[in-house]
Amino acid sequence: KAGVTQTPRYLIKTRGQQVTLSCSPISGHRSVSWYQQTPGQGLQFLFEYFSETQRNKGNFPGRFSGRQFSNSRSEMNVSTLELGDSALYLCASSEGLAGVTDTQYFGPGTRLTVL
Amino acid sequence: QKEVEQDPGPLSVPEGAIVSLNCTYSNSAFQYFMWYRQYSRKGPELLMYTYSSGNKEDGRFTAQVDKSSKYISLFIRDSQPSDSATYLCAIPGGDYKLSFGAGTTVTVRA
């Protein structure tokens, strides 16, 4: 099976712009989670989508949003970009809701740089 | 206080050495404990997980949990240059959110 794919791999934006990142989960996986990884804060949970519904949300402002399509593909949107949004954004998929019994498989990430 | 604390290192060891990685956590209700490995320019991959207290071995890797101290460890025996990566501990909370440690970057010198 193909792994989790994320596009684009690298992105450069300026402050105030918005950005949309895309994630294609492993075939058959219904859950997609998004994480932000920075040197200072580490890996932080953004949100999880399962069967097109947001099931869980981390402590991020409303500028961060997402959605999941009927084919389980997911997009994440960040509006009004700030310098602090520069990070590696990782997507992970699992068969069921992420947790112990359903292993999460991570994509390679999208490296976002905000200038 | 973060739910999971991990010394970010970095850690540099000679080939063949034992690597010892540790995390502490704050919520005594946590039951499952995971270790992920992340190579440069890649996403994390699940290395091992353990339940409750005790040890779990998988080849050269041993995961250890001490619930009384809220302390988890990962040991890598006979370390190889291919073990050079960032290791993250992760703990799923009751709400299914995974809390990750900061990650420890390990370099194994040939």
Side-chain angles (χ1 to χ4, degrees), chain A residues 23-92:
Chain A
C23 171
S24 292
I26 291 171
S27 177
H29 286 193
R30 291 186 295 168
S31 170
V32 172
S33 298
W34 287 90
Y35 295 84
Q36 182 195 66
Q37 187 173 33
T38 59
Q41 298 297 318
L43 205 59
Q44 292 185 286
F45 172 77
L46 279 156
F47 29 65
E48 178 183 14
Y49 286 87
F50 182 83
S51 295
E52 301 179 67
T53 302
Q54 187 181 89
R55 297 290 181 168
N56 232 328
K57 191 176 187 309
N59 297 324
F60 278 82
R63 299 185 298 107
F64 292 82
S65 63
R67 59 178 175 168
Q68 187 180 34
F69 301 97
S70 58
N71 61 358
S72 293
R73 193 177 68 84
S74 176
E75 287 183 347
M76 190 194 100
N77 186 74
V78 187
S79 63
T80 319
L81 284 166
E82 301 176 0
L83 295 178
D85 296 333
S86 294
L88 181 67
Y89 290 89
L90 290 157
C91 162

Side-chain angles (χ1 to χ4, degrees), chain A residues 9-10 35 37 40-41 43 45 56-58 88 90 98-100 103-104 106-108, chain B residues 2 32 34 36 38 41-46 49 88 92 95-98 100-102:
Chain A
R9 292 291 311 275
Y10 301 91
Y35 295 84
Q37 187 173 33
Q41 298 297 318
L43 205 59
F45 172 77
N56 232 328
K57 191 176 187 309
L88 181 67
L90 290 157
V100 180
T103 301
Q104 287 189 304
F106 283 82
Chain B
K2 285 191 171 183
Y32 294 88
M34 301 169 162
Y36 281 79
Q38 185 175 19
R41 302 185 190 285
K42 302 273 189 179
E45 57 178 342
L46 182 64
Y49 73 87
L88 305 105
D95 55 2
Y96 293 101
K97 292 181 194 177
L98 268 184
F100 283 86

Side-chain angles (χ1 to χ4, degrees), chain B residues 76-98:
Chain B
I76 308 174
R77 291 186 302 280
D78 187 26
S79 57
Q80 305 294 310
S82 58
D83 295 326
S84 298
T86 297
Y87 293 82
L88 305 105
C89 58
I91 303 176
D95 55 2
Y96 293 101
K97 292 181 194 177
L98 268 184

